[in-house]
Amino acid sequence: MTFCAKDTWIEEERHVKANDRDYNDKFLYAANHIKTSKYNIFTFLPINLFEQFQRVANAYFLFLLILQLIPQISSLSWFTTIVPLALVLAVTAVKDATDDYFRHKSDLQVNTRHSELLIRGRLESEKWMNVRVGDLIKLENNQFVAADILLLSSSEPYGLCYIETAELDGETNLKVRQALTVTSELGADITGLAEFDGEVVCEPPNNRLDRFTGTLFWKDNKYPLDNDKMLLRGCVLRNTEWCFGMVIFAGLQTKLMQNCGKTKFKRTSIDRLMNTLVLWIFGFLTCMGIILAVGNTIWEERVGRMFRVYLRWDEVLSSSVFSGFLTFWSYVIILNTVVPISLYVSVEVIRLGHSYFINWDRRMYYGRRDTPAEARTTTLNEELGQVEYVFSDKTGTLTQNIMAFNKCSIDGKTYGEVFDEFGHKVEITEKTPCVDFSFNPLRDRRFRFHDGSLAEAVKLGEPTAHEFFRLLALCHTVMPEEKSEGDLLYQAQSPDEGALVTAARNFGFVFRARTPETITVYEMGTPVTYQLLAILDFNNVRKRMSVIVRTPEGRLKLYSKGADTIIFDRLDPSNEELMYTTSEHLNEFAGEGLRTLALAYKDLDEDLFEEWMKKLHFASTVLDNREDILAALYEEIERDLMLLGATAIEDKLQEGVSETIACLTLANIKIWVLTGDKLETAMNIGYSCNMLRDDMNEVFIISGHTAQEVQQQLRGARERIVGPRSEVPNGATDAEKADRNRKDSVFEETFTAEYALIVNGHSLAHALEAHTEAVLLDTACLCKTVICCRVTPLQKAQVVELVKRRRGVVTLAIGDGANDVSMIKTAHIGVGISGQEGMQAVLASDYSFAQFRYLQRLLLVHGRWSYFRMCNFLCYFFYKNFAFTLVHFWFGFFCGFSAQTVYDQWFITLFNIVYTSLPVLAMGLFDKDVNEQNSLRHPKLYEPGQLNLLFNKRQFFLCTLQGVYTSFALFFIPYGAFWHAVRDDGSHISDQQSFAVTIATSLVIVVSVQIGLDTHSWTVVNHFYIWGSVAVYFAITFAMHCDGIFSIFPSHFSFVGTARNSLTQKSVWLVILLTTVVCVVPVVAVRFLRADLYPTHADKVRRLQQASRRQRPQEQSLKRVRRTSSRRSAYAAHQEGYGELITSGRNMKPGRPVSAPPAGHGASWIESLLRKRSDGAIGVATETQGARAAGPRSHSAGAEGTGQSKRQQSRD
Amino acid sequence: MMASSYNAKEEDGHLSGTPGPGVVGADTSKKPDNTAFKQQRLPAWQPILTAGTVLPAFFAIGVIFIPIGIGLYVTSNNIREFEIDYTGLEASSPCFNCSQSYSWNNTKPCTCSVSFTLDQAFEGNVFMYYGLSNFYQNHRRYVKSRDDRQLNGDTSALKDPSKECEPYRKNVKPIAPCGAIANSLFNDTLALYISSNGTQIEIPLSKKGIAWWTDKHVKFRNPGGNNSNLAPVFKDTTKPVNWAKPVYELDTDPENNGFINEDFIVWMRTAALPTFRKLYRIIQKKGMTPTLPRGNYTLLITYNYPVHSFEGRKRMILSTISWMGGKNPFLGIAYITVGSVCFFLGVVLFIIHHKYGNRGNSSDIPS
């Protein structure tokens, strides 16, 4: 065990010794302290300044500042640069400090959570940050796991413990972890645990959530360790009173933190464009500098040389070429305002403002959870207006992850719909009255059902209804927990099951208790105990589960529930008619996006069962091929079932999901669903939120297992959409060719046709390989809907990355769980659904809110406005600064290219930060072209953002051109007017200072008028700032030209009296008026013509808005289209293995009436459990298997079936 | 000029409904405030450029600008202005000799006289300017080469002028006034004679009031306050290199001597463009007779100021004044042009709008 200190940096293997801090300290493992903050009080200033000067812009201004300190070059005083620079640095520093403060706060909050640590043989409550690798830690129920720990023992038998991993992978069902038998024997024995000195040798920290390999060395024995013995940081302990574990990875080395990845600094496309433009401008600046420098050289050579009688050269000025060189730098200083430093600050301020508007939006506030929307990143707002692809998680994002028993079909009659007195169907809303279950003291008060007739049927003792609910109460693997009398809590492995058992409970069949061998159900108030003889557990191939029970009367019954196709294949022929009716109902249910299950029962013959049971016992002892033998046995008994009916569970969508999706689709935003869930579930949701419809031309399902298969499937799909453009892949069969012929007719409608693509996880892994990804993307982009299921967090990120990289479009990822973190971080914009328990997604996100439907508002209203505002802001800003700065260029030709400024230095200093900053900020913050109702009503308005129409290189060119024109007019009109001008008292006015004041005043007025033209909606703030800025200009000008300030600083305010002397002249005002009109008129003419001849969509909506503003806007309602047919029947997130757990009684808490488990069975059971789980992880259910199972059906109608349907008819 | 309307306050729909049972109370709720500002519902005026607003505006500009332009043009034309170039670079010029034989150290002033005839009488006050061409008073190094503190009478700056004045800062002793501007002070002397029946009568030229009041009384001040005897004040300084006399000998009138000498102040107000004119003297009108009647005049020049080295020109301008200042045809023409263009543009836009324009119908919006 030699371990050099050096190796710790490239950790190859981790050695951890329990309860031995001295030993573990040698390796310098990360402590459990999490630090996301960047500064502390002392390092803030140096580090922050260093960071800030790393930005090109700031460094550039620093460079300018240095240039200005050289007297031969300095064409402007130092203060013209240092004042804005200091302001910029200060604003940024304050912002950084605030951000870091909040990071400190959240770090502190996490780091000071408490857990119980075993220190020196005693349990002590410690802060998380003090937890170290190798420590023994005690976790209690519902606690977050503090670090990645190895489970040693737990309160549950056999060292089992249950965890919820929603934070990590988004799955909300419980997972089982089991300690090694040797360690689980330690139990809660503190002394034993304190003496535990096992050493773990394991893999170094990595980000794989599903894998762990290591070995425990203890008492001269080796024990292999895998992921099933690990509790990862971020999980929550459930249903387990306590457990002990040993910390293996802590802090930043935990899998959770390793998965979080580095926070990439996200930049918007406008940012990048701005950087390019700034580079262009620098190039432009250099060009101008060179032109003027050459001009200077020529001038000095031809004129300046002679003019030396009056203006001697400085000593350093040795030649005219050198003079030109110095002039270049002087002009760089003067003209630097084309890239004003205030641009960056203003952009930040505007984005910050937009973020606040998002935070303040009441329509994105979710009252039920008291969560307002939050813009966690303040630098991405305008990109919200450019999103083209939305990647959405399913569970918790589109759905509420609440399963609700919504409808059912019992014996050919459906329940769950509400009809009014005229027999019309009533849309069920929040306000629809619920069935009163008060007759049942054990009811779940949260359960809601609207159709009273079902409760009536149960009360009247309808036998099929009773049997239906009895089945639901018996056939499941739910664990009850009764904290006090009547206060039942079900621990379901999948939310579906929970919903079904809860439904039965409310309808009077209360599942109350279970032992390994019995199930106690309160049937309409009377306790009935059934003997549980066998659980024929669910798995992905079987797609059904059954229980065999003995009723108190001694009859043997098999109750079965499962996917409809599976159940229907195993029905007794007598059921045919009922089967058709039920099948119709199932179609109806599925059409509403409900998740359906068929229910059936069977009376068993005693002898047959005995025999079968023997076979089962035998089979369970077989080691080879046990699975197959068991499956065959199950198959054998699940035959000739009698159909009872079907259930329909609603995987409740969040409010307004389908409307939102419809609206976003209208805005040309493509929505891809990436879910970790099963294919069936994902498709179900796809249907219920209208992403998949039956009127779609085709839904392609990519489920290949090899790269080639996947590629072929993708190519096939693509060909079917666009026609056989590419060459026929090798091995095309006749059937494929026939397909192609048929499809040729389809080709015509390609562009109006709608296709959907569904990819499952394995295929996605292949599809994302370098040579296939192009095909995947091509195919996917042709489809209206793309759903990827069984996707790992990493794959989610890869898909997003693929689209981002290959398409070059703005992507947005939205999710709620830790499994979405990678995708949220990869996408241009990450949105987290907040308000749920898990916060990982929110913490990683750029925006967070409580409901998916707010996405519509975020994009179409806030995003659109932000983009619109930012673009207008930038256009104006560049215009303004070109107009302002280029006057110097023109003046250069008349002042011997000497880099003399036209304006007063104070004016240059204040122009950008005082005279013109606020109106444009107000525009950038408050302007709207159309109001929010219209933004939402006309999703098409979103498209300019996606096409990047409002600010691009062309727009930039146009607005700089306008700036150049304005500067030209600003210079040459006063130039012409001042050629001979004198005051009305004869004294001169064509002096430099009057000239400066005239041009400056014209400039301020022209840019104010221009901002007025650019402002689409004048709020009080706009009025205040625009008028205020002009007023402030005059106030400051007169103040700076007044006597008092001159007498204090004569050398800095040499313009004394100029404003008074020139701005009182009529001719000066005539010049200003003329300049203003000349600058503005062409702009007005062009804008008018453009709006008149080629109005944009926004222009039209604006006119409409103005025309109809007095009318009350009627709310647009997007009707939810019901689809028909296509049944999808499945469990939601069911994991097999619980059945065995229950019958073995291993998860029953001691102290409950548990019959002694058969000895010697335990070890083999655990092994099989583990084996099954690993199988399940590889062999996921596929449609092919499902199809194979759907064999020929018998069509003879049974007597019972007809009888039942007749009865139903008479009842109707 | 724009269609305008105030937006009615839009209704705030409560999509999210009332807070659920989980919310403890109104004061702890994180629900954002319902203020017009935070909900971006501030009432706003939303102007749109429509034909109804833009076209009248264009016509209005035309209608307003053309008369202004005509007025300006006529006013400008009514101003009498006479200009004479006396640089003397041509051999035929009376000042040819002076311009050729010039050197800074000349002690004997060179004089020349130029005769001219005024065809029209100049009424009212007549202003005499000197004009310089190709003289870069707006060159950066020239412009900054002054010390406003010194000129404002700061005694410390008098002894230690600003570095900006280099290389005209010190000549053994500190220079007062320092800098290139002061050093290059225009020092020709102009005198005007009217020929009346063969005799030359000198026209009185007033040198008061040629500088801005603020310059004379605020910006420029002699060191030592109102001390009429300036020589001791300036005793530690030396005159600018090009000057013949020290600054305290510019004039005998103590109100016009030293830094507050108006000729000096006028010169120190640097011109914006390389061709400029500066007010030299005022010929006050007296009585009812024209200030400068028609006739022959002689301009007597004491030629001190060399400009030929940089191809500069020197002129003398006589001008009357109107409400808008001196003769300035540019503004009038510019106004007429801009007004016409606007009017014409209005017509063109009107035609385009009626032929091809989208007359405010927005029915084709897909919603």
Side-chain angles (χ1 to χ4, degrees), chain A residues 360 898 928 991 1018 1070 1092, chain B residues 39-40 45 269 335 353:
Chain A
W360 286 334
S898 59
K928 333 177 193 178
D991 67 295
W1018 289 62
L1070 285 172
D1092 200 42
Chain B
Q39 300 308 316
Q40 305 196 62
W45 173 54
R269 184 155 282 279
Y335 263 88
H353 175 68

Side-chain angles (χ1 to χ4, degrees), chain B residues 67-84:
Chain B
I68 293 181
I70 292 171
L72 283 171
Y73 191 72
V74 169
T75 315
S76 175
N77 272 357
N78 284 340
I79 288 172
R80 303 267 175 275
E81 192 178 277
F82 179 82
E83 185 172 321
I84 189 162

